[in-house]
Amino acid sequence: MTILVFGGNGQVGQELLRALKPLGEVQATTRSGVLPDGSACEVADFDQPASLGALLDRLQPAMVVNAAAYTAVDKAEQDVEAAFRANAEAPGVIARWCAQAGVPLVHYSTDYVFDGEGTAPYREDEPTAPLGVYGTSKRDG
């Protein structure tokens, strides 16, 4: 089984690459095409969401894990379009491809989709109430 991990250079992505190895072939993507150890990987630019479908068509993964994101929480307030391209549009392209291909998708989000008023751990099906652009873009993803 081939597992494609978007965001292989982030903290979550690096851990996923290590943890998923026993399950099969793991392919990583980064914006630069280089992993933190200097090795080459696939290029996936979340600032260009339309390019992701062709990458998925070419690689034909059996499973997709998306750990890539625009993560500059404060900067997102001024860089709204970039936050939405990376956190909403790009995951949408990936999700549509996976749905059409019948490929499982795991997408990581954030607690920023909630307003912080909860008194217990949040569940995926709870109502969201993001307080800023970053949380809204992640919720839309």
Side-chain angles (χ1 to χ4, degrees):
M1 170 169 67
T2 301
I3 304 167
L4 180 62
V5 176
F6 285 100
N9 59 342
Q11 291 176 349
V12 173
Q14 288 181 61
E15 189 59 28
L16 285 167
L17 293 177
R18 184 193 62 74
L20 293 172
K21 273 186 183 179
L23 300 178
E25 179 188 350
V26 180
Q27 292 182 305
T29 74
T30 65
R31 175 181 259 181
S32 67
V34 179
L35 290 167
D37 67 3
S39 62
C41 66
E42 295 289 339
V43 173
D45 187 353
F46 273 44
D47 202 38
Q48 302 292 324
S51 69
L52 299 175
L55 174 68
L56 289 159
D57 285 342
R58 182 171 55 82
L59 297 177
Q60 292 293 310
M63 180 178 194
V64 175
V65 181
N66 180 28
Y70 181 105
T71 58
V73 176
D74 294 334
K75 187 177 177 192
E77 297 301 318
Q78 289 77 43
D79 204 1
V80 176
E81 290 178 3
F84 273 88
R85 275 192 305 274
N87 292 342
E89 292 175 39
V93 169
I94 295 166
R96 284 187 290 279
W97 187 92
C98 287
Q100 289 175 344
V103 171
L105 168 65
V106 176
H107 173 73
Y108 285 85
S109 192
T110 178
D111 60 344
Y112 279 84
V113 301
F114 302 106
D115 61 12
E117 298 296 320
T119 58
Y122 294 109
R123 297 177 358 182
E124 297 100 6
D125 59 353
E126 291 197 42
T128 59
L131 299 177
V133 170
Y134 174 76
T136 302
S137 71
K138 290 298 284 184
R139 180 204 57 205
D140 288 2

